[in-house]
């Protein structure tokens, strides 16, 4: 449960955390300054926890816990940064207290570069209130689009994205984002997901920027609708005709991936956990897959790592609050190794973690990354 303790991302504990660089062996002079570039909308997330049931019309519900954190694209940015990737974010921030809080949490707490971000005078921060109960969530959001010409280009991104090894984009049916093509031409590897097609067209040709992507990571229902396939695995193969790597998430059944270039396929089952809140799990999965891809891991290891990070995230509440770092991953790995009777196949599946996780876990787990209100003053 979220408590009133000082948030971890606003204390010096965040600066002392175990640092693991999964790309250390690959870094060389002349590399892009950033591993991953992101752009999108940052929300202030307010999360109510400890609700026994969904709110009932005409009644007042009391929550036993509450937290606040940056949300929206910040979920993905925090997940990438905690996995050791040098992350740059281009986003608009309100000039209200919410915007200041989100900026500080991301830049100072998570080490995310915000040089391409802007504070927009007179614009208030978008807000999402999330209520978690029975392993599900209900959300209410409010916000207004910032004037694009006052912040970035017409597509909401800087006119010239910074050099990066990779970028994560959310594709919009029927609309292209010029920054994606620009980044791909500059050598940036594009990883893309997609939201629900509200038009109901589910026309794959409407995803104009898919041709610039290295990998496409829809969920099973989205993949089937875009391809017309009855089976998500068949859908993955159909998508691989349009993008080099197709990854289809299967929910509680794990994930399936096809690499057209190598001919590889991989399927990894999900890790059985008690899911408290699925908020941000998709973002964490993508962050894990991007990390493994940039590190040059085999396809099955990338899927396993993405699934592990997502599984760890749903055991905690909130989006960016729940994204695991290497301390959490290390704690999980040490714990499963110590469980008597653990299946050798399960241990073998994650054996690649042995050379990555910190030798010493320097922080307790789970971490406290939220406070009930952003009104408290910090005591560094």
């Amino acid at each position: 449960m979220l408590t009133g303790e000082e948030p971890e991302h606003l204390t010096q504990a965040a600066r002392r955390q175990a640092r693991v660089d999964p790309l250390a062996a690959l870094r060389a002079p002349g590399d892009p300054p950033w591993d991953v570039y992101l752009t999108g909308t940052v929300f202030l997330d307010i999360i109510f926890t400890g609700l026994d049931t969904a709110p009932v019309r005409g009644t007042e519900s009391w929550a036993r816990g509450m937290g606040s954190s940056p949300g929206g694209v910040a979920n993905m940015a925090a997940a990438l940064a905690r996995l050791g990737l040098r992350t740059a974010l281009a986003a608009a921030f309100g000039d209200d207290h919410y915007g200041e809080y989100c900026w500080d949490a991301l830049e100072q707490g998570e080490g995310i570069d915000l040089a391409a971000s802007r504070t927009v005078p007179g614009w208030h921060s978008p807000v999402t209130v999330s209520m978690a109960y029975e392993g599900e969530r209900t959300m209410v959001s409010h916000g207004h689009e910032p004037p694009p010409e006052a912040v970035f280009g017409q597509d909401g991104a800087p006119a010239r994205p910074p050099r990066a090894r990779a970028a994560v984009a959310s594709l919009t049916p029927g609309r292209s984002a010029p920054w994606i093509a620009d980044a791909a031409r500059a050598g940036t590897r594009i990883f893309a997901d997609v939201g629900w097609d509200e038009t109901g067209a589910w026309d794959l040709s409407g995803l104009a920027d898919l041709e610039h992507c290295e990998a496409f990571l829809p969920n099973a229902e989205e993949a089937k609708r875009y391809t017309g396939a009855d089976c998500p695995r068949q859908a993955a193969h159909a998508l691989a005709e349009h993008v080099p790597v197709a990854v289809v998430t299967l929910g509680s059944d794990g994930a399936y991936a096809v690499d057209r270039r190598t001919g590889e396929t991989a399927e990894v089952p999900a890790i059985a956990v008690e899911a408290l809140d699925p908020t941000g799990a998709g973002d964490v999965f993508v962050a894990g897959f991007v990390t493994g891809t940039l590190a040059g891991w085999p396809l099955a290891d990338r899927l396993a790592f993405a699934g592990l990070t997502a599984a760890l995230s749903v055991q905690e509440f909130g989006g960016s609050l729940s994204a695991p770092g290497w301390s959490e991953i290390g704690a999980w790995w040490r714990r499963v190794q110590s469980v008597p009777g653990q299946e050798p196949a399960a241990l073998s599946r994650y054996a690649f973690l042995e050379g990555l996780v910190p030798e010493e876990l320097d922080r307790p787990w789970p971490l406290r990354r939220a406070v009930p209100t952003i009104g408290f003053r910090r005591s560094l």
Side-chain angles (χ1 to χ4, degrees):
M1 175 147 328
L2 305 177
T3 72
E5 298 173 16
E6 185 71 18
E8 188 270 350
H9 65 227
L10 293 182
T11 69
Q12 292 194 20
R15 299 166 179 80
R16 294 194 300 268
Q17 63 183 291
R19 295 293 181 183
V20 173
D21 183 358
L23 308 187
L26 304 176
R27 299 197 185 279
D31 282 349
W34 305 113
D35 296 326
V36 187
Y37 164 76
L38 299 167
T39 186
T41 303
V42 173
F43 287 75
L44 172 73
D45 281 357
I46 300 173
I47 307 103
F48 289 101
T49 68
L51 290 164
D52 295 320
T53 61
V56 178
R57 181 178 178 180
T59 67
E60 180 180 17
S61 299
W62 279 82
R64 291 189 293 274
M66 174 182 168
S68 55
S69 69
V73 71
N75 294 339
M76 179 77 71
L80 290 162
R82 289 179 193 165
L83 293 178
L85 298 187
R86 301 170 183 173
T87 304
L89 170 64
F93 288 79
D95 64 349
D96 49 14
H97 289 306
Y98 291 171
E100 292 175 2
Y101 166 80
C102 289
W103 186 293
D104 186 49
L106 294 174
E107 183 180 58
Q108 301 301 321
E110 305 293 350
I112 296 166
D113 180 77
L114 299 179
S117 294
R118 299 288 181 272
T119 296
V120 183
W123 180 66
H124 73 77
S125 300
V127 176
T128 292
V129 174
S130 176
M131 292 159 281
Y133 52 89
E134 299 175 351
E136 295 294 338
R137 57 177 174 165
T138 298
M139 297 185 292
V140 178
S141 297
H142 173 73
H144 304 281
E145 290 289 333
E149 67 279 2
V151 189
F152 307 118
Q154 289 299 318
D155 61 343
R160 182 174 298 178
R163 288 179 61 233
R165 297 173 188 264
V168 180
S170 184
L171 303 185
T172 303
R175 193 173 71 191
S176 63
W179 75 265
I180 295 177
D182 292 343
R185 281 192 291 268
T188 298
R189 302 162 74 177
I190 309 296
F191 296 76
D193 60 13
V194 67
W196 191 257
D197 188 351
E198 299 292 347
T199 70
W202 298 102
D203 181 7
L204 200 58
S205 65
L207 300 180
D209 290 320
L210 191 60
E211 64 176 307
H212 306 299
C213 295
E214 163 88 7
F216 184 44
L217 299 95
N219 64 34
E221 189 61 31
E222 293 161 349
K224 289 191 296 182
R225 287 176 180 265
Y226 271 116
T227 61
D230 295 327
C231 166
R233 293 162 186 80
Q234 294 174 350
H237 285 274
L239 290 172
E241 297 177 6
H242 302 271
V243 66
V245 179
V247 180
V248 177
T249 56
L250 309 174
S252 59
D253 291 329
Y256 183 82
V258 179
D259 188 326
R260 186 184 70 208
R261 290 171 178 157
T262 65
E264 286 180 278
T265 63
E267 183 167 3
V268 175
I271 297 173
V273 296
E274 180 183 356
L276 296 181
D277 183 4
T279 303
D283 293 326
V284 173
F285 182 94
V286 173
F289 190 82
V290 170
T291 300
T293 301
L294 294 184
W297 299 347
L299 185 61
D301 287 356
R302 287 182 263 165
L303 273 192
F305 186 70
L308 169 60
T309 55
L312 292 176
S313 77
V314 301
Q315 295 179 85
E316 302 297 328
F317 289 106
S320 66
L321 294 177
S322 65
W326 286 101
S327 286
E328 290 96 325
I329 295 167
W332 176 85
W333 177 235
R334 302 304 181 206
R335 188 170 72 250
V336 297
Q337 287 178 303
S338 67
V339 175
Q342 185 69 252
E343 293 185 12
L347 291 176
S348 175
R349 173 63 274 155
Y350 295 94
F352 66 92
L353 291 174
E354 186 58 41
L356 288 167
V357 297
E359 290 292 332
E360 299 292 333
L361 303 179
D362 58 350
R363 297 178 297 170
W365 177 56
L367 304 176
R368 297 302 181 197
R369 290 190 173 114
V371 288
T373 174
I374 63 174
F376 291 138
R377 293 185 179 276
R378 287 185 292 163
S379 55
L380 296 180

